[in-house]
Amino acid sequence: MSEVRLTAGEKARSAALVARMCKRGVAGDQVHIADLTRRVDRIHEEAARRTEREQAAMKVELETARQAVALAKTAVRTADRTTKPAAKAALRAAEDALRRTERAARRIGL
């Protein structure tokens, strides 16, 4: 799995909790911060679960786009003269959709 990306809200909550931990740390070494540490850990665990769900969904979408391109190529190969221009247009559209999906997959670390 690639690195876990936090949303803006998760970053803000984590930063606020870390700031509270620092504030408690200034009070002394004997101050209890385990509750805040657990909350930060919980935020990171939820982000990891979300990332896994997003990557699984993106894998399905990527495979669907690849299958659509394969079907469009088959349609071009089997098309007669009257339907070949439409089949080629459909192939270009499927390839464009695949490129967009691959770009999005790279952005999330696949």
Side-chain angles (χ1 to χ4, degrees):
M1 184 174 77
S2 65
E3 84 176 43
V4 176
R5 292 188 180 187
L6 299 175
T7 63
E10 290 166 341
K11 286 178 188 176
R13 285 194 309 261
S14 290
L17 291 170
V18 169
R20 286 179 64 188
M21 282 190 271
C22 291
K23 191 174 177 183
R24 285 186 188 179
V26 169
D29 291 337
Q30 304 302 324
V31 178
H32 180 71
I33 62 167
D35 59 328
L36 298 177
T37 305
R38 278 194 310 273
R39 289 172 67 184
V40 170
D41 290 343
R42 204 171 322 131
I43 290 169
H44 288 275
E45 289 167 3
E46 181 56 38
R49 283 193 295 272
R50 187 193 70 252
T51 300
E52 288 176 12
R53 283 192 310 269
E54 288 175 355
Q55 287 181 346
M58 184 58 76
K59 285 178 184 176
V60 170
E61 186 65 27
L62 197 54
E63 187 55 39
T64 302
R66 287 180 180 145
Q67 186 66 26
V69 169
L71 290 172
K73 282 183 181 180
T74 301
V76 168
R77 289 184 189 119
T78 59
D80 62 358
R81 288 178 50 170
T82 58
T83 59
K84 195 163 211 101
K88 284 184 178 181
L91 175 60
R92 280 191 297 274
E95 287 172 340
D96 289 343
L98 176 60
R99 273 191 292 279
R100 285 191 307 272
T101 306
E102 286 174 337
R103 203 173 307 129
R106 280 191 302 272
R107 260 186 259 127
I108 66 166
L110 284 181

